[in-house]
Amino acid sequence: MNRVTLFTGLSAAMLALAATEAVAQQAARHRAPIDFAVRAARDAGEHPSVIIRYRKGAAERLRRRFAAHGDLVRQNHPEIDSLSVDLHPEDVDAATLDPDVLGISANGWVYSDVARTTARASKKAPRPAPAPTPTPAPAPAPAPKPLLDTAMLKKTLGLSTTRLTGAGVVIAVIDSGIAATTDLLGQVIASYDFTAGGKAAADDDGYGHGTHIAGTIVGSGRESKGKYAGLARGARLVSLKVLDSHGQGYTSDVIAAIDFAVTHRASLGINIINLSLGHPIWESAATDPLVLAVERASAAGIVVVVSAGNYGINPATGKVGSAGITSPANARSALTVGAVMTKGTIDHGDDEVAAFSSRGPTWHDGLVKPDFITAGESIIAASEADSELYKNPKLKGPLAGYISLSGTSMAAAVASSIVALMIEANRLDEGPGKRLTPNTVKALLQFSALPVRGSDTGIPTVLEQGAGSLNAGGATTLARVIEPAAAPGAGWMELQVSPSTVIAGVTYPWALQIVWGDQIVWGDSLMSSNQAAWAQQIVWGDQIVWGDTLLFEKNVVASSFSLWNSVVVWGSNLVTSVGQQIVWGDLSGQQIVWGDQIVWGDSDDQIVWGDSLVFTQ
């Protein structure tokens, strides 16, 4: 009897030990990924502010665990199953082993497009920085006095005869706030401050960037007698403040603002989100919480317009660089906008891609971005007189109350204006119940874009300008004649449209191409029938087979070097460098550490790693 009891006890102990070992082995196999910036903060012994993606239903369990460790949980983002937490450095690795944790991303600084040239970093951060704060570059030399007023800008965009104003369209401007300037009186229907928890707030903008964005879109031009008015004066704005008086803020606040816009899109009538901000790409778009928030907004039917970033040129060497797209401009569904220099003329013959405008492809995923470019140099709009930007004499506008800013931030504001006009144009015939999806809007903008002449940078044209420069006249014409509710495969154009636009007496042919993730669709078949790919729930860049109606060219990632001018090769399947070209991914089994790298030039100084990145926005 004693032997049986002893045997039974030993068996139970062995089973318990085996179960413990199995659990330990399973735990060892689970290690949630952490991004570049979190690793940097952990290794430096800092208390990183992070965004933790969790398994469905795990929020409260994780909250209790972190609280027990003395880690501060700041926000829950249930829409993307994430928590914002300030971790002790020693808790980072432990969190990666938690079975409820799917990934840990930096709750890093986001910046407006001009923050790196005109703003200084805050001396006191509102919470611990997740990674070394980049050092702002010196302010640029004053730009030449621009000649492009609103009337000329409309002409160069093909809008000289339009009566569209964006009436009935609402744009959420997620930025530094919007001040109640004369040009914006009555244009802002609601204001919320996410630097203070998302509470309703008075119109305010200590930095001046959000007010300039707002003026570019809906400014009345009262102070300039209409000379510097917005492109979509009939639209209205919702101000969602996420940046402080130095033009910087936290990723978690931007995510909270995007989620707010999605949740209240019906009650506030939000059609468009303008995001003229970003941070370096630290991880794949598939796991980046800020990108996930943008994708959710797009899936909800909101058109999300994002600036590409101003990492186009290395100020130390003057070289134009590749792979400077910022997050969330790397979101597949986002309308990612680069900048073009119009040189103050209506004629497109002298247009060039702005040197400061970020080029593609995107880090980690190798996607073709930007989607298109538009005017972003020396854009004049209203600003707050007490704001930091307004007080900078180098940004002084031609009239009191106005400033002149350059950047992909400004290009994004121009693009948001054009989208507002497209939505209005479509509603004129179709009514408010039938909406253009974000995918359809992007396709129409790319299809009607006007290619800008190539440059001698050696970077493939599509990685500099996407489909080309926005042609608002062509895009609004297409939006007006398209029936978005047509069944897939059915005709959806009520009238035939000539694929060209006349500007200042010159006929410019459209691009007639759509840059779809890592592929390019050529031809004019967009004008013949609706396609399932333009549906709201289709992720831009997925490998969609449409039959014979659209022709796919070679996959961009697998294309020959000659197609891309033999400059940059990208994609995770390429494991060796080719001559003077740079290939990234998994090199000979040794994973490259991703971060805020940019490919400069074509020889020894091609990659700038980590902290050595010179910020130029």
Side-chain angles (χ1 to χ4, degrees):
M1 192 71 174
N2 290 338
R3 288 182 179 179
V4 173
T5 302
L6 179 60
F7 179 77
T8 303
L10 287 172
S11 298
M14 291 175 67
L15 287 172
L17 179 61
T20 302
E21 289 178 350
V23 171
Q25 290 175 2
Q26 183 178 2
R29 285 195 297 268
H30 172 82
R31 183 176 288 275
I34 59 178
D35 74 16
F36 172 83
V38 175
R39 287 198 303 271
R42 177 204 60 191
D43 295 345
E46 298 175 359
H47 288 59
S49 183
V50 302
I51 300 173
I52 293 179
R53 293 183 295 110
Y54 55 74
R55 297 187 188 279
K56 288 284 186 183
E60 189 54 37
R61 291 196 299 271
L62 285 174
R63 184 188 293 273
R64 289 195 299 267
R65 290 173 201 160
F66 290 131
H69 278 251
D71 298 314
L72 179 61
V73 178
R74 293 189 172 273
Q75 295 184 68
N76 185 18
H77 309 283
E79 294 82 1
I80 59 171
D81 295 323
S82 299
L83 288 172
S84 299
V85 186
D86 291 354
L87 288 177
H88 294 96
E90 60 271 19
D91 289 341
V92 173
D93 287 333
T96 66
L97 300 176
D98 192 311
D100 284 329
V101 174
L102 300 179
I104 304 178
S105 306
N107 183 18
W109 291 108
V110 291
Y111 299 88
S112 72
D113 257 353
V114 293
R116 294 179 181 86
T117 55
T118 58
R120 59 187 183 277
S122 295
K123 293 183 179 179
K124 183 178 180 181
R127 26 191 199 272
T133 303
T135 303
K145 290 295 182 182
L147 302 174
L148 207 63
D149 58 24
T150 301
M152 294 180 69
L153 182 56
K154 284 186 174 181
K155 289 179 181 179
T156 196
L157 292 172
L159 291 171
S160 57
T161 61
T162 188
R163 295 184 179 181
L164 298 170
T165 66
V169 178
V170 177
I171 303 161
V173 175
I174 299 178
D175 213 285
S176 59
I178 300 175
T181 66
T182 301
D183 276 16
L184 295 172
L185 292 178
Q187 303 290 68
V188 181
I189 63 174
S191 296
Y192 298 88
D193 187 352
F194 286 86
T195 67
K199 65 181 182 181
D203 296 336
D204 175 67
D205 183 8
Y207 187 53
H209 187 267
T211 303
H212 187 277
I213 295 294
T216 300
I217 301 172
V218 302
S220 66
R222 288 189 185 96
E223 290 293 302
S224 62
K225 297 182 179 179
K227 189 171 185 179
Y228 301 113
L231 294 170
R233 292 174 55 184
R236 294 296 179 263
L237 304 180
V238 172
S239 174
L240 305 179
K241 182 176 181 176
V242 297
L243 304 178
D244 64 16
S245 59
H246 302 302
Q248 58 189 22
Y250 276 92
T251 299
S252 57
D253 291 338
V254 180
I255 292 172
I258 295 172
D259 289 342
F260 178 91
V262 173
T263 301
H264 296 86
R265 64 189 183 283
S267 60
L268 294 174
I270 296 172
N271 309 106
I272 304 166
I273 291 174
N274 187 96
L275 284 168
S276 290
L277 48 76
H279 64 60
I281 294 174
W282 294 311
E283 61 186 307
S284 169
T287 58
D288 185 333
L290 185 53
V291 171
L292 295 178
V294 167
E295 300 289 15
R296 176 176 178 262
S298 299
I302 300 175
V303 181
V304 185
V305 180
V306 185
S307 55
N310 289 359
Y311 291 94
I313 191 169
N314 185 335
T317 64
K319 288 186 177 180
V320 171
S322 305
I325 302 294
T326 53
S327 170
N330 57 327
R332 290 175 182 264
S333 66
L335 276 63
T336 303
V337 191
V340 65
M341 296 188 298
T342 64
K343 300 183 180 179
T345 68
I346 300 172
D347 180 17
H348 281 253
D350 61 352
D351 288 359
E352 293 181 8
V353 179
F356 59 76
S357 185
S358 285
R359 275 74 169 170
T362 66
W363 277 104
H364 284 273
D365 305 299
L367 297 178
V368 177
K369 288 283 186 173
D371 295 305
F372 28 67
I373 56 178
T374 195
E377 184 188 37
S378 300
I379 301 296
I380 300 169
S383 191
E384 166 59 44
D386 291 330
S387 67
E388 182 169 306
L389 292 181
Y390 190 86
K391 293 176 181 177
N392 186 331
K394 296 178 180 179
L395 305 177
K396 185 177 180 181
L399 297 172
Y402 295 88
I403 58 175
S404 175
L405 298 181
S406 297
T408 56
S409 272
M410 289 65 249
V414 171
S416 290
S417 304
I418 296 171
V419 174
L421 302 183
M422 292 173 67
I423 293 173
E424 181 194 7
N426 186 252
R427 287 175 176 174
L428 290 177
D429 289 337
E430 306 305 331
K434 300 177 181 179
R435 303 174 64 178
L436 294 170
T437 67
N439 278 359
T440 305
V441 170
K442 185 190 288 190
L444 300 183
L445 287 168
Q446 290 191 333
F447 191 79
S448 59
L450 307 179
V452 173
R453 67 179 184 177
S455 62
D456 58 359
T457 62
I459 298 173
T461 300
V462 72
L463 297 180
E464 291 196 303
Q465 60 180 272
S469 184
L470 290 185
N471 167 20
T476 53
T477 297
L478 285 175
R480 185 159 190 168
V481 302
I482 277 181
E483 166 55 80
W492 69 338
M493 294 193 68
E494 298 174 349
L495 298 171
Q496 291 301 308
V497 176
S498 174
S500 62
T501 298
V502 178
I503 297 175
V506 179
T507 300
Y508 295 96
W510 295 355
L512 301 183
Q513 71 176 37
I514 299 166
V515 182
W516 181 268
D518 59 3
Q519 300 196 19
I520 298 178
V521 183
W522 302 91
D524 59 2
S525 52
L526 173 68
M527 300 172 65
S528 63
S529 64
N530 190 8
Q531 300 293 336
W534 311 135
Q536 188 164 302
Q537 298 299 327
I538 296 296
V539 177
W540 190 274
D542 277 1
Q543 304 298 315
I544 305 297
V545 178
W546 297 330
D548 296 332
T549 54
L550 289 176
L551 173 66
F552 277 112
E553 276 292 304
K554 294 179 181 178
N555 186 293
V556 169
V557 175
S559 294
S560 66
F561 298 158
S562 60
L563 180 62
W564 302 111
N565 299 332
S566 301
V567 177
V568 177
V569 184
W570 67 93
S572 59
N573 293 326
L574 300 176
V575 296
T576 58
S577 61
V578 182
Q580 298 254 322
Q581 293 125 14
I582 292 297
V583 183
W584 62 88
D586 188 343
L587 282 182
S588 302
Q590 184 176 3
Q591 187 65 39
I592 287 180
V593 178
W594 298 98
D596 46 5
Q597 310 97 326
I598 289 183
V599 182
W600 300 118
D602 60 359
S603 57
D604 294 338
D605 56 354
Q606 288 168 323
I607 294 184
V608 181
W609 298 93
D611 296 342
S612 57
L613 172 65
V614 179
F615 287 90
T616 59
Q617 286 186 216

